[in-house]
mmCIF file of all heavy atoms in Angstrom:
data_model
loop_
_atom_site.group_PDB
_atom_site.id
_atom_site.type_symbol
_atom_site.label_atom_id
_atom_site.label_comp_id
_atom_site.label_asym_id
_atom_site.label_seq_id
_atom_site.Cartn_x
_atom_site.Cartn_y
_atom_site.Cartn_z
ATOM 1 N N ARG B 20 3.363 22.131 42.742
ATOM 2 C CA ARG B 20 1.999 22.536 42.964
ATOM 3 C C ARG B 20 1.262 22.791 41.637
ATOM 4 O O ARG B 20 0.162 23.190 41.625
ATOM 5 C CB ARG B 20 1.953 23.802 43.805
ATOM 6 C CG ARG B 20 2.159 23.554 45.296
ATOM 7 C CD ARG B 20 2.829 24.709 45.971
ATOM 8 N NE ARG B 20 2.039 25.906 45.858
ATOM 9 C CZ ARG B 20 1.278 26.401 46.857
ATOM 10 N NH1 ARG B 20 1.246 25.800 48.007
ATOM 11 N NH2 ARG B 20 0.589 27.529 46.692
ATOM 12 N N ALA B 47 16.453 27.624 7.375
ATOM 13 C CA ALA B 47 17.367 28.752 7.093
ATOM 14 C C ALA B 47 18.694 28.234 6.606
ATOM 15 O O ALA B 47 19.258 28.757 5.638
ATOM 16 C CB ALA B 47 17.556 29.553 8.379
ATOM 17 N N GLY B 61 5.227 19.544 -7.671
ATOM 18 C CA GLY B 61 4.183 19.394 -8.654
ATOM 19 C C GLY B 61 2.992 18.692 -8.039
ATOM 20 O O GLY B 61 3.111 18.082 -6.974
ATOM 21 N N GLU B 122 -8.028 32.369 -17.491
ATOM 22 C CA GLU B 122 -8.013 32.819 -16.106
ATOM 23 C C GLU B 122 -6.664 32.652 -15.444
ATOM 24 O O GLU B 122 -6.413 33.170 -14.369
ATOM 25 C CB GLU B 122 -9.070 32.040 -15.284
ATOM 26 C CG GLU B 122 -10.465 32.497 -15.566
ATOM 27 C CD GLU B 122 -11.502 31.551 -15.005
ATOM 28 O OE1 GLU B 122 -11.101 30.595 -14.342
ATOM 29 O OE2 GLU B 122 -12.708 31.790 -15.233
ATOM 30 N N LEU B 134 0.890 7.971 -22.383
ATOM 31 C CA LEU B 134 -0.484 7.621 -22.786
ATOM 32 C C LEU B 134 -1.104 6.579 -21.888
ATOM 33 O O LEU B 134 -0.396 5.784 -21.257
ATOM 34 C CB LEU B 134 -0.451 7.047 -24.215
ATOM 35 C CG LEU B 134 -0.165 8.034 -25.309
ATOM 36 C CD1 LEU B 134 0.441 7.354 -26.479
ATOM 37 C CD2 LEU B 134 -1.467 8.717 -25.730
ATOM 38 N N ASP B 177 -22.714 -9.028 -30.741
ATOM 39 C CA ASP B 177 -21.290 -8.690 -30.747
ATOM 40 C C ASP B 177 -20.431 -9.819 -30.211
ATOM 41 O O ASP B 177 -19.202 -9.840 -30.413
ATOM 42 C CB ASP B 177 -21.007 -7.445 -29.925
ATOM 43 C CG ASP B 177 -21.311 -6.173 -30.692
ATOM 44 O OD1 ASP B 177 -21.322 -6.232 -31.928
ATOM 45 O OD2 ASP B 177 -21.534 -5.122 -30.061
ATOM 46 N N ARG B 193 -17.822 6.189 -11.690
ATOM 47 C CA ARG B 193 -16.991 6.882 -10.714
ATOM 48 C C ARG B 193 -17.758 8.002 -10.075
ATOM 49 O O ARG B 193 -18.457 8.762 -10.731
ATOM 50 C CB ARG B 193 -15.755 7.496 -11.399
ATOM 51 C CG ARG B 193 -14.686 6.567 -11.806
ATOM 52 C CD ARG B 193 -13.734 6.240 -10.687
ATOM 53 N NE ARG B 193 -12.943 7.355 -10.178
ATOM 54 C CZ ARG B 193 -11.709 7.647 -10.622
ATOM 55 N NH1 ARG B 193 -11.127 6.907 -11.554
ATOM 56 N NH2 ARG B 193 -11.055 8.675 -10.102
ATOM 57 N N VAL B 224 -20.366 13.655 -14.198
ATOM 58 C CA VAL B 224 -21.598 13.777 -14.994
ATOM 59 C C VAL B 224 -22.769 13.203 -14.187
ATOM 60 O O VAL B 224 -22.580 12.569 -13.167
ATOM 61 C CB VAL B 224 -21.510 13.039 -16.328
ATOM 62 C CG1 VAL B 224 -20.378 13.556 -17.149
ATOM 63 C CG2 VAL B 224 -21.382 11.538 -16.124
ATOM 64 N N PRO B 227 -27.136 8.282 -15.669
ATOM 65 C CA PRO B 227 -28.547 7.912 -15.737
ATOM 66 C C PRO B 227 -28.906 6.696 -14.848
ATOM 67 O O PRO B 227 -29.964 6.656 -14.279
ATOM 68 C CB PRO B 227 -28.775 7.548 -17.206
ATOM 69 C CG PRO B 227 -27.649 8.182 -17.940
ATOM 70 C CD PRO B 227 -26.519 8.248 -17.005
ATOM 71 N N GLY B 237 -12.163 2.023 -5.961
ATOM 72 C CA GLY B 237 -13.511 1.750 -5.542
ATOM 73 C C GLY B 237 -14.305 1.015 -6.593
ATOM 74 O O GLY B 237 -15.051 0.063 -6.298
ATOM 75 N N ASN B 247 -22.260 -9.922 -12.035
ATOM 76 C CA ASN B 247 -22.917 -9.355 -13.200
ATOM 77 C C ASN B 247 -22.827 -7.813 -13.247
ATOM 78 O O ASN B 247 -23.812 -7.127 -13.553
ATOM 79 C CB ASN B 247 -24.403 -9.779 -13.253
ATOM 80 C CG ASN B 247 -24.537 -11.284 -13.266
ATOM 81 O OD1 ASN B 247 -23.817 -11.953 -14.004
ATOM 82 N ND2 ASN B 247 -25.438 -11.800 -12.463
ATOM 83 N N LEU B 254 -6.328 0.852 -17.397
ATOM 84 C CA LEU B 254 -5.853 -0.471 -17.727
ATOM 85 C C LEU B 254 -5.108 -1.109 -16.549
ATOM 86 O O LEU B 254 -5.272 -2.313 -16.247
ATOM 87 C CB LEU B 254 -4.939 -0.388 -18.958
ATOM 88 C CG LEU B 254 -4.227 -1.648 -19.440
ATOM 89 C CD1 LEU B 254 -5.247 -2.736 -19.726
ATOM 90 C CD2 LEU B 254 -3.414 -1.336 -20.695
ATOM 91 N N ILE B 255 -4.292 -0.303 -15.873
ATOM 92 C CA ILE B 255 -3.435 -0.897 -14.857
ATOM 93 C C ILE B 255 -4.233 -1.466 -13.681
ATOM 94 O O ILE B 255 -3.864 -2.449 -13.092
ATOM 95 C CB ILE B 255 -2.410 0.150 -14.366
ATOM 96 C CG1 ILE B 255 -1.344 -0.509 -13.511
ATOM 97 C CG2 ILE B 255 -3.082 1.265 -13.584
ATOM 98 C CD1 ILE B 255 -0.097 0.266 -13.427
ATOM 99 N N SER B 289 -3.829 9.865 -34.539
ATOM 100 C CA SER B 289 -4.353 11.229 -34.502
ATOM 101 C C SER B 289 -3.268 12.269 -34.584
ATOM 102 O O SER B 289 -3.562 13.471 -34.531
ATOM 103 C CB SER B 289 -5.127 11.461 -33.201
ATOM 104 O OG SER B 289 -5.117 10.320 -32.376
ATOM 105 N N ALA B 304 -10.040 7.177 -32.073
ATOM 106 C CA ALA B 304 -9.049 7.634 -33.060
ATOM 107 C C ALA B 304 -9.097 6.786 -34.332
ATOM 108 O O ALA B 304 -9.481 5.612 -34.276
ATOM 109 C CB ALA B 304 -7.658 7.561 -32.470
ATOM 110 N N PHE B 315 -4.070 11.049 -23.758
ATOM 111 C CA PHE B 315 -2.787 11.607 -23.343
ATOM 112 C C PHE B 315 -2.935 12.050 -21.885
ATOM 113 O O PHE B 315 -4.045 12.319 -21.386
ATOM 114 C CB PHE B 315 -2.476 12.892 -24.150
ATOM 115 C CG PHE B 315 -1.910 12.643 -25.490
ATOM 116 C CD1 PHE B 315 -2.548 13.107 -26.612
ATOM 117 C CD2 PHE B 315 -0.698 11.996 -25.647
ATOM 118 C CE1 PHE B 315 -2.019 12.896 -27.892
ATOM 119 C CE2 PHE B 315 -0.160 11.785 -26.905
ATOM 120 C CZ PHE B 315 -0.845 12.218 -28.007
ATOM 121 N N LEU B 319 1.616 20.418 -17.161
ATOM 122 C CA LEU B 319 1.232 21.805 -17.368
ATOM 123 C C LEU B 319 2.326 22.676 -16.765
ATOM 124 O O LEU B 319 2.624 22.594 -15.591
ATOM 125 C CB LEU B 319 -0.092 22.118 -16.665
ATOM 126 C CG LEU B 319 -1.282 21.298 -17.127
ATOM 127 C CD1 LEU B 319 -2.480 21.557 -16.233
ATOM 128 C CD2 LEU B 319 -1.655 21.666 -18.554
ATOM 129 N N LYS B 325 9.642 31.795 -13.736
ATOM 130 C CA LYS B 325 10.023 32.931 -12.876
ATOM 131 C C LYS B 325 11.356 32.740 -12.206
ATOM 132 O O LYS B 325 11.955 33.656 -11.693
ATOM 133 C CB LYS B 325 8.922 33.180 -11.812
ATOM 134 C CG LYS B 325 7.590 33.578 -12.390
ATOM 135 C CD LYS B 325 7.529 35.051 -12.626
ATOM 136 C CE LYS B 325 6.217 35.565 -13.198
ATOM 137 N NZ LYS B 325 5.367 34.674 -13.964
ATOM 138 N N ASP B 326 11.773 31.483 -12.085
ATOM 139 C CA ASP B 326 12.991 31.172 -11.349
ATOM 140 C C ASP B 326 13.917 30.450 -12.296
ATOM 141 O O ASP B 326 13.584 29.427 -12.862
ATOM 142 C CB ASP B 326 12.642 30.307 -10.148
ATOM 143 C CG ASP B 326 13.875 29.953 -9.314
ATOM 144 O OD1 ASP B 326 14.863 29.532 -9.856
ATOM 145 O OD2 ASP B 326 13.789 30.137 -8.061
ATOM 146 N N ALA B 348 8.176 3.388 -19.433
ATOM 147 C CA ALA B 348 6.706 3.334 -19.375
ATOM 148 C C ALA B 348 6.101 1.941 -19.500
ATOM 149 O O ALA B 348 5.242 1.561 -18.687
ATOM 150 C CB ALA B 348 6.109 4.279 -20.462
ATOM 151 N N ILE B 371 10.073 27.149 -23.870
ATOM 152 C CA ILE B 371 9.994 27.639 -22.499
ATOM 153 C C ILE B 371 11.145 28.602 -22.224
ATOM 154 O O ILE B 371 12.278 28.276 -22.522
ATOM 155 C CB ILE B 371 10.036 26.471 -21.472
ATOM 156 C CG1 ILE B 371 8.857 25.538 -21.742
ATOM 157 C CG2 ILE B 371 9.980 26.975 -20.041
ATOM 158 C CD1 ILE B 371 8.821 24.330 -20.867
#
Side-chain angles (χ1 to χ4, degrees):
Chain B
R20 281 150 60 103
E122 285 168 5
L134 289 154
D177 278 339
R193 285 277 294 266
V224 301
N247 303 316
L254 176 57
I255 191 159
S289 2
F315 279 120
L319 299 172
K325 296 277 180 333
D326 181 311
I371 299 177

